[in-house]
Amino acid sequence: MPACPCGRTDAKGQPLALAACCGQYHTGQAAPDAESLMRSRYSAFVLGDVAYLLATWHASSRPASLELEAGAKWLGLDIKAHRVTGDDTAEVEFVARFRVGGRAVRQHELSRFVRDAGRWCYVDGDVR
């Protein structure tokens, strides 16, 4: 079984399998918190799952379409902080690393999430 791209590990420090981690959210289970949604969205970028990315983007800020960076090689995700900011709001600060066209990219972002109808959604983020 392939390891989950998000890098989450079990209590023994072993990588979780995709099916036991983000894969369950990609197939319809609601993410329990904003950090889990953030991780599953990172995994969706790695796997090229545009439909999932759009489905987990809040309607108030969702683009009509999304085109992923062609040839991007995702290298890792580091969650810096996960803060609950209200009953149905949260923030996740992360650094995602990838390479595109031979160029290394480090995206440091503070993302905002809202729980809408029982499901966490990405709203927007500030790139740092």
Side-chain angles (χ1 to χ4, degrees):
M1 256 189 165
C4 190
C6 83
R8 188 170 264 175
T9 58
D10 64 17
K12 296 179 181 176
Q14 297 300 308
L16 289 177
L18 176 60
C21 192
C22 295
Q24 61 190 323
Y25 310 129
H26 295 169
T27 58
Q29 183 175 324
D33 53 45
E35 179 183 343
S36 295
L37 182 68
M38 177 62 239
R39 288 178 174 281
S40 71
R41 286 177 55 83
Y42 172 83
S43 293
F45 273 102
V46 173
L47 300 169
D49 190 346
V50 171
Y52 180 79
L53 291 166
L54 289 171
T56 57
W57 208 315
H58 195 263
S60 67
S61 58
R62 180 187 314 126
S65 64
L66 180 64
E67 207 167 301
L68 300 182
E69 188 84 44
K73 176 166 176 41
W74 293 89
L75 304 172
L77 175 67
D78 182 21
I79 302 293
K80 299 290 189 186
H82 172 217
R83 291 180 283 280
V84 174
T85 57
D87 288 343
D88 292 312
T89 57
E91 296 176 338
V92 178
E93 182 180 358
F94 70 91
V95 175
R97 294 176 296 106
F98 62 99
R99 185 175 296 283
V100 64
R103 191 180 96 239
V105 179
R106 181 180 182 272
Q107 182 171 334
H108 185 179
E109 184 174 314
L110 177 64
S111 295
R112 284 175 286 281
F113 296 84
V114 64
R115 187 169 32 210
D116 187 9
R119 297 184 81 88
W120 284 100
C121 297
Y122 170 77
V123 177
D124 60 16
D126 296 323
V127 176
R128 306 220 150 173

